[in-house]
Each structure stands twice: as structure tokens, then as C-alpha cells.
């Protein structure tokens, strides 16, 4: 039987997809006729009920916004959309809107018709405060041959749909999820998750979560190697196998990782991982749900989290690029097709070091200017010297057009807008006052023009935790701070 024109076009599209996956060729803004992850899932009877990405469309027909950024300078917001329907993010729109200031990602739009959008989460029972939005320019990569930004999760950053999201599994229903994340910007704290969580930010018991995690969290020893491992956060446990430990799970530490979880809600779940740049999925577990009380059946509540735990435990780090949640239990063939599509994107770039307009400030002893409290500093947080850590968001500063220096959404500030010798510096909301203006001098010092004094390490101290201050400019080693 002679193939129709439509069949031939479909055949050629599949051939092009496979060639792109094998050769790693960058794609156009959108490959004509190409099926994207949510098209693949829908065609197999397990439709997407939530789809989130700052990088690309996950439905071939999608032509709406991917995410929203909010400027620090004036509080204005802008939606970042696509270069073409079904295509890649218009990163240039963000660059233009956020020029000479910083922007935070304040909403990640759900690309399904269900409007399960994610916004910075509220405080939860973990004891942590409300989440802040990620710095929108912290991590740039290439996808489909285009520049795009990921979501750089540091402690204190996280997103949530509070309540029961439309169509998301509840009370033991089957579901699946995947995310593409960094395998190099990872940690062991709780929790870098994406998926189903409590409808409110509180731990309500075993089986009330069903989220995929990528972390170095060995919750149930023994674990094989250093990780990170693709795990299932089912609440009160990061599971790799039946009752937790699974030494067959050897982890995924590639620059980009596809992390997959599916759960029938009653007796069975599966975990898979892959290099998101090449190759196929490896099944790390396909078997029984934990035999501990509360997991057979599951008790999902239908909330959605990104970058935190169900009770808003937001101490971990990671980088997120795309992810979906689906209704039903996807087949292996469906997940293999989704992985082939992910590989065809041609993700590239470093994912473990912030590469936006920020730079470090190196001070006495080669130490970095750092904010106390591990990326979670609020108003009044101490600014100090500390060993330089490439992944530490609060050691990466933006020198803004108004002369301020900002990190994690706040500015380097002289306490009380003071001017006296010995006045300590701190982190504070950016407000344009003179105590937040800094000018790099030819001798390597950082001058605060309002006070006429320089950023200074008391008595030239170089130890971790040395609190910084302003002092008469004197050209000493205690006042050498290099913006890099």
C-alpha cells in the first residue's frame, strides 16, 4: 500500500527526531509536526495535567507564556514567552526587560489548560519562612540551539500550587512525572522535589506525597556511590526501592538528568533516570510500593511543589529546566519516546555554576564576600568573608547600574544608612539609599560615596565569618575587594 502524504511526513518527522537525538544537532525554534512530551503522553492515554518549563513548550500547540519575571528596580513584571508556537523561550525578552537590574522568577505557568501555575510557596510547618523566587538570570543554557534560562534553586527558593491542583492525582490514583534537572548542582538536604505534595505546606503523613527527587540524600542506607540518585519522595522518606534502600540504584550525575517517577497509587511504583543529552532511560526500580504503613495505598492530596519538600523544607539546591505530571500510569514505551524527545532538544552548557551577570567579590585572604545563613539571608543578615563556593548563590553579586551590589534579591547595605567608622554592613531590601552605593576604585577598594569610607575587613582578618564594615580608605590589604 502506498503511503499517504501525511504518513510520509510523519515518517520523516520521526526520522529527523531520531537523527537529532543521535547526532545531538540543535533544532529550529520548533520542528514542524514534531510531537513534544505532552503530545506523546496524550497519544498514549496518559495526558499531562501539569507542564512547567522555563526553556521550551511541552505541547506542540502551546503559544502562551512560560514564566513571569519581576524587576527588583521597580517591581514591574513581564511574561516570557516563546520564539514560535511549540518552540523555545524568548530569552532575549528577559534580557531586555531585566537590563541594568535583577529579576526574579515569580510565576511558572502551567502549559496545560488546567492553569496549575506555580508561584513562590508560603511558609510551612518545617519552620522555614515563605519561599522567594529564583534569580531569573542565575543559570543560562542552550536548548534547541537557543539561549534559555533554568530555575536555579538555592536554600530559600521554591514554588508551589497550594490546594488540590486540577486533574492531579489524589487518594491513591495513578500518576507519572518527569523532570529535567542538573546532576551537578545537587545537595543532600531536604528537598529538591517536583511533583505531588500536600495541599497545604504541612507533613500530613506517610503516602501523602508522590514527587520525583534528584539529590545526594541517602535517606535509607546503604546507597551505592555518591549520587545524586533519582528517588521518590513519598513523605517521610526518600525511597529508592521497596522499603527505601536499593543498592542497584547507581545514580545519575550527568550535567543534565532526566528523572522519572510513576506510581499506580496502590501497590507499585517505578523510578528511572537518564542523561538528558544522550541515550535511553535506565530503570532503577520497578516493583512494590513501600511496605511501611501508609504507602499501600497512597494518599496523595494533589498539591504541586518544585524545589522544596511537602512541608516547605527548602534547604536543598538544584536546577530545574522542565517537567510534567500526567494522569494514569505511563507505559515504558511512552517514557522512552519522551526521553528521545528530550535528547533531541540538545541541552548544553554548565549547570553547576551561576553564569548570569553576577560575579564574586573576592576580598582579603582570597575569601569571598558572603551572606550568613546559607543563601537564605533576610533583612539585617550579616555580610562576611567565607571560603569561596562556586554554587553559593549568596556569593554571586550583581553590580547594578545605580551602583548597588545585590544578591538573593537584596542589596549590600551600611547598617542604618550610617557613615561612621566601624559601621557594619548587612543585607537589606534594595531601596536606593546612599548606604547601598559602591564604586570600585583604582586601588582595588570599594568606596561608599555617601560616607566617604571603604568596605573593610577589621584589622585585615581573613577568617571565615569575619563581619565586614566601613572604614577610612587607607589602601591596605584589608580593603582590597575585587569584583569578578
Amino acid at each position: 500500500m502506498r503511503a499517504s502524504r501525511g504518513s510520509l511526513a510523519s515518517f520523516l518527522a520521526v526520522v529527523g527526531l531520531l537523527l537529532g537525538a543521535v547526532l545531538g544537532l540543535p533544532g529550529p525554534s520548533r520542528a514542524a509536526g514534531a510531537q513534544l512530551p505532552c503530545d506523546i503522553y496524550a497519544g498514549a492515554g496518559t495526558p499531562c495535567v501539569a507542564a512547567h518549563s522555563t526553556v521550551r513548550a511541552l505541547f506542540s500547540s502551546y503559544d502562551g507564556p512560560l514564566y513571569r519575571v519581576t524587576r527588583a528596580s521597580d517591581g514591574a513584571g513581564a511574561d516570557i514567552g516563546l520564539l514560535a508556537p511549540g518552540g523555545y523561550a524568548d530569552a532575549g525578552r528577559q534580557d531586555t526587560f531585566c537590563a541594568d537590574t535583577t529579576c526574579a522568577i515569580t510565576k511558572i505557568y502551567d502549559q496545560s489548560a488546567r492553569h496549575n501555575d506555580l508561584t513562590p510557596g508560603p511558609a510551612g510547618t518545617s519552620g522555614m519562612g515563605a519561599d522567594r523566587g529564583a534569580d531569573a538570570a542565575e543559570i543560562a543554557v542552550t536548548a534547541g540551539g537557543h539561549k534559555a534560562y533554568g530555575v536555579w534553586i538555592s536554600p530559600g527558593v521554591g514554588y508551589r500550587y497550594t490546594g488540590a491542583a486540577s486533574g492531579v492525582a489524589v487518594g491513591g490514583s495513578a500518576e507519572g512525572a518527569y523532570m529535567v534537572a542538573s546532576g551537578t548542582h545537587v545537595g543532600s538536604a531536604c528537598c529538591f522535589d517536583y511533583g505531588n505534595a500536600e495541599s497545604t505546606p504541612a507533613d500530613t503523613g506517610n503516602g501523602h506525597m508522590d514527587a520525583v527527587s534528584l539529590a545526594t540524600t541517602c535517606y535509607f542506607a546503604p546507597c551505592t556511590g555518591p549520587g545524586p540518585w533519582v528517588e521518590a519522595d513519598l513523605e517521610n522518606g526518600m525511597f529508592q526501592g521497596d522499603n527505601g534502600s536499593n543498592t542497584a540504584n547507581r545514580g545519575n550525575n550527568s550535567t543534565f538528568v532526566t528523572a522519572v517517577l510513576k506510581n499506580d497509587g496502590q501497590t507499585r511504583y517505578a523510578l528511572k533516570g537518564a542523561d538528558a543529552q544522550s541515550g535511553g532511560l535506565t530503570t532503577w526500580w520497578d516493583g512494590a510500593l513501600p511496605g511501611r504503613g501508609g504507602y499501600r495505598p497512597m494518599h496523595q492530596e494533589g498539591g504541586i511543589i518544585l524545589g522544596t519538600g511537602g512541608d516547605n523544607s527548602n534547604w536543598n539546591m538544584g536546577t530545574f529546566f522542565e517537567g510534567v505530571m500526567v494522569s494514569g500510569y505511563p507505559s515504558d514505551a511512552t517514557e522512552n519516546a519522551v526521553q528521545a524527545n528530550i535528547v533531541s532538544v540538545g541541552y548544553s552548557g554548565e549547570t553547576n555554576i551561576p553564569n548570569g551577570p553576577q560575579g564574586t567579590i573576592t576580598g582579603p585572604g582570597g575569601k569571598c564576600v558572603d551572606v550568613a545563613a546559607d543563601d537564605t539571608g533576610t533583612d539585617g543578615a550579616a555580610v562576611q568573608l567565607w571560603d569561596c563556593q562556586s554554587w553559593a548563590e549568596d556569593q554571586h553579586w550583581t553590580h547594578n547600574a545605580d551602583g548597588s551590589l545585590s544578591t538573593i534579591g537584596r542589596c549590600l547595605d551600611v547598617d542604618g544608612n550610617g557613615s561612621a567608622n566601624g559601621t557594619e554592613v548587612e543585607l537589606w531590601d534594595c531601596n536606593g539609599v546612599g548606604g547601598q552605593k559602591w564604586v570600585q576604585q583604582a586601588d582595588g577598594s570599594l568606596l561608599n560615596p555617601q560616607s566617604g569610607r571603604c568596605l573593610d575587613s577589621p584589622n585585615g582578618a581573613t577568617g571565615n565569618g569575619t563581619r565586614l564594615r566601613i572604614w577610612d580608605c587607607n589602601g591596605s590589604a584589608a580593603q582590597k575587594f575585587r569584583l569578578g
Side-chain angles (χ1 to χ4, degrees), residues 252-302:
N252 293 79
N253 63 358
S254 53
T255 305
F256 298 86
V257 174
T258 307
V260 180
L261 167 66
K262 58 183 174 183
N263 188 333
D264 73 1
Q266 300 296 312
T267 61
R268 176 188 179 194
Y269 80 111
L271 290 166
K272 301 179 182 182
D275 184 336
Q277 294 177 293
S278 64
L281 292 164
T282 297
T283 299
W284 294 124
W285 178 256
D286 188 351
L289 277 165
R292 303 164 187 265
Y295 301 103
R296 301 180 190 170
M298 295 288 291
H299 307 279
Q300 310 102 309
E301 297 182 25

Side-chain angles (χ1 to χ4, degrees), residues 155 334 349 358 407 471:
T334 301
Q358 308 88 349
T407 187
W471 197 263

Side-chain angles (χ1 to χ4, degrees), residues 172-173 177 180-182 202 212 223 246 321 359-360 366 386-387 390 417 449 454 471:
S173 297
V180 175
S182 170
V212 63
C223 301
N246 174 20
F321 300 100
T360 56
W386 201 269
D387 290 334
S390 61
N417 204 30
C454 287
W471 197 263

Side-chain angles (χ1 to χ4, degrees), residues 95 98 101-102 135-139 149 354-359 397-399 484:
D95 290 340
C98 300
T101 185
T102 58
D135 186 314
E138 200 86 52
I139 188 76
Y149 289 101
N355 60 7
Q358 308 88 349
W397 299 80
T398 300
H399 204 168

Side-chain angles (χ1 to χ4, degrees), residues 44-133:
T46 51
C48 289
V49 293
H52 303 102
S53 178
T54 57
V55 172
R56 65 169 181 147
L58 299 170
F59 293 84
S60 59
S61 60
Y62 188 71
D63 192 24
L66 296 179
Y67 60 103
R68 186 167 183 81
V69 296
T70 299
R71 274 195 306 235
S73 59
D74 60 2
D79 288 339
I80 308 302
L82 298 160
L83 294 168
Y88 294 90
D90 184 1
R93 162 77 168 144
Q94 175 182 317
D95 290 340
T96 299
F97 183 77
C98 300
D100 298 324
T101 185
T102 58
C103 282
I105 298 173
T106 49
K107 181 179 286 188
I108 304 173
Y109 288 97
D110 174 20
Q111 298 177 30
S112 82
R114 296 178 178 273
H115 304 292
N116 293 324
D117 304 332
L118 303 179
T119 54
T125 58
S126 67
M128 298 296 289
D131 300 324
R132 69 179 188 275

Side-chain angles (χ1 to χ4, degrees), residues 125-217:
T125 58
S126 67
M128 298 296 289
D131 300 324
R132 69 179 188 275
D135 186 314
E138 200 86 52
I139 188 76
V141 298
T142 298
H146 303 280
K147 177 183 178 181
Y149 289 101
V151 184
W152 181 271
I153 302 291
S154 294
V157 173
Y159 297 85
R160 194 177 197 106
Y161 183 99
T162 302
S166 174
V168 174
V170 295
S173 297
E175 66 182 337
Y178 85 82
M179 68 173 169
V180 175
S182 170
T184 55
H185 178 221
V186 292
S188 61
C190 184
C191 296
F192 179 65
D193 292 351
Y194 173 70
N196 197 324
E198 289 91 346
S199 58
T200 58
D203 179 348
T204 53
N206 294 357
H208 285 248
M209 286 184 62
D210 185 29
V212 63
S213 173
L214 184 66
T216 56
T217 310

